[in-house]
Amino acid sequence: MNTIFIGGSRHVSRLPVEVKKRLDNVVASGHRVIVGDANGADKAVQKHLVDTHYDKVTVFCTGDKPRNNLGTWQTHHVDAPKSAKGFHFYAAKDREMAREADFGLMIWDGKSPGTVLNVLRLAIAGKIAVLFNVPDKDVINIKTVDQWKTFIARCNRDLQKDIADRATPEEWRLAVGADQPSLLAALEPTADPPSDAAASESRVASSTKAPSPEEMLTVLNKALAEGDATTIMDSLGVAAREHGMSQISRDTGLSRESLYRSLDANGNPEFATVLKVLSSIGLHLQVCPGGLRSEHPRVSSDA
């Protein structure tokens, strides 16, 4: 039995026949359904499942009480960050559903950024999403972040900006991280002005000219010397992205999505993964004697 995350746009109040057929297939297969509590597509999906007397349903909600639970099914309450308001408050449950699901079915009105963001969340987690475009009666299967980027590049610029504004910084880094410049990079949400050090690192990360091996050694060794795990992972991620995640994926046998998550500033990769990545970009780790304060582990070039 698989878990299917079914969601969609608030402006979809009636399900197309094609979507109802897909829901009937889910019911016939006995899969578990997880669905949100919003009006629109969530409520319409709930109504269809009530009409079919299906009980393998869990309603996810942010807060203590669901807005809609037409089948009085089991509920799953998700706590949002205290500072979250509006869309960001309710998006907490969507992220939880994307993590818990095996597959996703998204019912889209052709303009809702939240629905497209849920497809991205599923892709980041390595899960297949079926996006049903209601106005066009078109079905798109999205299996990877690269496929999501190809899809979103064809959408209008207003939708692209809305997605950028609503995504978390981590989601957006995974969405725009690419071996080649992407139009999405220009849509990155504005943030507070970075410090001089952060601005310097950002320039290295975003430069179209790959850093030299000497520059990569300097950045990584400085991070190791400071002993800051977050800075180390961020610096290694910068070096890896400049080298090319596709090539590293081939060298290490790890998926690109997994590498982007692991080499994020907040990532926590296995030590074996770090060694594989270093080897792929032509570097290796050396340990120096610890008798002197000035001695630190350092990264050396294989070249």
Side-chain angles (χ1 to χ4, degrees), residues 95-295:
R95 296 188 183 94
E96 184 72 17
M97 285 190 282
R99 284 191 291 267
E100 188 163 327
D102 296 304
F103 300 96
L105 171 60
M106 296 294 119
I107 307 158
W108 191 41
D109 64 356
K111 56 186 178 182
S112 164
T115 304
V116 178
L117 257 180
N118 281 334
V119 174
L120 172 62
R121 290 165 184 144
L122 287 160
I124 288 173
K127 300 163 184 179
I128 298 173
V130 176
L131 180 66
F132 188 93
N133 187 331
V134 174
D136 296 341
K137 294 187 177 180
D138 186 26
V139 180
I140 304 169
N141 294 328
I142 297 178
K143 302 178 181 179
T144 67
V145 173
D146 281 344
Q147 289 178 340
W148 182 88
K149 287 189 289 189
T150 299
F151 161 74
I152 201 64
R154 298 194 299 264
C155 296
N156 68 69
R157 197 165 183 81
D158 287 341
L159 175 62
Q160 294 169 356
K161 289 180 179 179
D162 285 343
I163 292 170
D165 288 340
R166 296 189 179 203
T168 65
E170 181 180 4
E171 288 169 343
W172 193 247
R173 280 195 297 270
L174 293 170
V176 303
D179 299 336
Q180 299 296 330
S182 164
L183 69 88
L184 292 175
L187 301 175
E188 189 160 358
T190 57
D192 294 333
S195 64
D196 291 342
S200 176
E201 291 181 5
S202 176
R203 284 193 294 272
V204 172
S206 62
S207 173
T208 58
K209 179 181 178 182
S212 67
E214 292 77 14
E215 290 172 328
M216 285 194 292
L217 288 174
T218 299
V219 172
L220 286 169
N221 282 324
K222 182 176 182 294
L224 286 167
E226 293 173 349
D228 184 342
T230 298
T231 304
I232 292 169
M233 294 318 307
D234 190 41
S235 301
L236 182 57
V238 168
R241 286 190 292 274
E242 291 293 351
H243 183 80
M245 283 295 196
S246 294
Q247 183 60 51
I248 294 175
S249 176
R250 289 190 289 270
D251 291 343
T252 62
L254 301 171
S255 70
R256 293 176 74 251
E257 288 77 15
S258 175
L259 287 167
Y260 279 120
R261 288 195 297 270
S262 296
L263 300 179
D264 180 72
N266 297 318
N268 186 27
E270 294 182 357
F271 187 58
T273 298
V274 173
L275 295 180
K276 287 179 181 179
V277 172
L278 286 172
S279 177
S280 176
I281 63 180
L283 303 174
H284 66 270
L285 190 64
Q286 290 182 325
V287 179
C288 300
L292 299 176
R293 284 182 175 271
S294 59
E295 297 287 2

